[in-house]
Amino acid sequence: MKLKIGVLGIQGDFAMHQKSLRKLGVNAPNIRYNEELALCDGLVIPGGESTTFVKLLKKTGMFDALIEFNENKPIMGTCAGLIALSTSLINHNMETLGLIDISVERNGYGRQVDSFIDDVRVDGIETLVEGFFIRAPRIRSLGEGTKAIGFHNDEVVMAGNERILAMTFHPELTNDTTVHRFFIDKYVRK
Ligand code: GLN
């Protein structure tokens, strides 16, 4: 049967993630409700505005459903998605899902004008990946059990644990589907 990897569709740039996943031949439904989540083999939390994400997740009851889902299913988070998944924010007071032990600085590179595109090196991917950093957060520290997986220069920009893959950049904004394939191979199908 075809894999089903949902993309959280309550806010942010979910459509581009769906496009990347569909290119890889998987079902990529838009997920807005708990019942839809339960049918997925994995989930992507896209970029957007993390404060809005958390607010909406709380309101719809999906906040707790995501934590439960992650007990046996993998989640990939990009940019605001990484913020929502993290255990702590160093410059913002907001509840987060706490599913990956990292501490994060929101808008760590500055404002919108400080957004940039640059190469990212990922352990386990042979080619360099084009990273779009858009008002991106910065990972300031990794807890025990969290692995550094991707690097921009020498800075960690992608981290993971058993069932979470989180990155500060947007991999869905290029035609290259390598990062989505990496998530499918290493986390969903493994
Ligand atoms: N700056 C946003 C936040 O802090 C994240 C931006 C993004 O997802 N591209 O939530």
Side-chain angles (χ1 to χ4, degrees), residues 10 13 27 78 116-117 123 130 138 146 158 169 171 186:
I10 53 174
D13 75 330
N27 267 330
T78 63
F116 60 97
I117 303 171
D123 280 348
E130 197 178 17
R138 279 179 123 143
T146 306
M158 185 192 266
F169 59 93
K186 306 271 190 219

Side-chain angles (χ1 to χ4, degrees), residues 46-51 78-81 83 106-107 134-137 170:
E49 194 58 44
S50 52
T51 47
T78 63
C79 206
I83 299 174
R106 282 188 72 199
N107 301 325
I134 303 171
R135 285 207 308 132
H170 292 256

